[in-house]
Amino acid sequence: MTTGTDALILRYLQDLEAQLQDLPASRRQELLDEVAEHITAARAGLDPETEAGVRTVLERLGDPAEIAAEARERFGGPPADRPVPTPWLEIIAIVLLVIPFLGWVLGVILVWLSRIWSTRDKLVGTVGGLSWVLAGLGTISISAGSRPVGSPAPLGPSETNLLEVALFVLPFVLPVVAAVYLGFRLRSRTA
């Protein structure tokens, strides 16, 4: 079972590995092993091991991009200022998230396949699009004339109108908000 601290370290090492992709495999593995050993030694000194303590250890190590830049200098790899590839998977995922039902399902799959977004970002994309599903269920419920779950009595006309407005507005607003959020996160991570 992976703990929160293990997940932090795994994400850090994955980010570092992604930054080192342009180095030869043997050099890349050598550096990853060296950093992993350093993390293990620093973790052993934490008593008790907390998420904050592990975050401090990782911050002291430095940003993975900086470590990769130093490694390129040390091992003579290509410079880091090469053009950043366009993150097409993420862009397509953002577009699909705002398309009802099937588009959202495909968008969520692509969001979870991304290596750029964090788990929190992926959850925002998933939950933002869930409003399409809830709107469909709510519309069926209203058109069938039934009352919402937990409601003691049938809804009056004004309550029904308010519920209908919410069911028709939220499905368009929440996916757009989630897509905009993911777009900002994508921009900050690829800039």
Side-chain angles (χ1 to χ4, degrees):
M1 184 172 132
T2 303
T3 65
T5 57
D6 291 335
L8 280 173
I9 293 167
L10 179 63
R11 180 67 182 182
Y12 183 88
L13 292 173
Q14 287 174 339
D15 288 348
L16 179 59
E17 185 174 14
Q19 292 289 330
L20 296 170
Q21 284 302 313
D22 53 355
L23 289 179
S26 61
R27 295 288 188 192
R28 183 173 55 241
Q29 192 59 51
E30 177 184 333
L31 188 61
L32 287 169
D33 291 343
E34 187 179 309
V35 170
E37 286 175 23
H38 182 77
I39 291 171
T40 302
R43 274 179 96 177
L46 296 175
D47 188 32
E49 180 178 291
T50 63
E51 189 172 318
V54 170
R55 284 184 191 277
T56 302
V57 166
L58 297 178
E59 286 172 8
R60 285 185 187 148
L61 275 173
D63 184 67
E66 292 173 6
I67 294 172
E70 290 173 16
R72 280 186 208 91
E73 276 183 34
R74 189 169 77 184
F75 298 130
D81 53 347
R82 64 183 176 179
V84 177
T86 305
W88 288 111
L89 174 91
E90 289 77 12
I91 292 170
I92 293 168
I94 289 171
V95 170
L96 287 173
L97 282 177
V98 297
I99 299 173
F101 306 111
L102 183 59
W104 169 75
V105 171
L106 295 174
V108 167
I109 291 169
L110 294 180
V111 163
W112 283 96
L113 289 175
S114 171
R115 291 181 51 106
I116 293 177
W117 287 312
S118 68
T119 303
R120 182 184 73 188
D121 298 336
K122 293 173 182 183
L123 288 172
V124 167
T126 303
V127 171
L130 272 176
S131 62
W132 292 123
V133 176
L134 297 176
L137 294 173
T139 303
I140 291 169
S141 173
I142 287 175
S143 64
S146 64
R147 57 188 170 88
V149 176
S151 177
L155 298 175
S158 64
E159 293 168 325
T160 302
N161 289 340
L162 183 61
L163 187 58
E164 287 174 352
V165 168
L167 286 174
F168 290 110
V169 171
L170 283 178
F172 295 101
V173 173
L174 290 179
V176 170
V177 168
V180 168
Y181 169 81
L182 289 176
F184 278 118
R185 296 291 292 165
L186 177 63
R187 186 170 182 218
S188 70
R189 289 194 150 237
T190 59

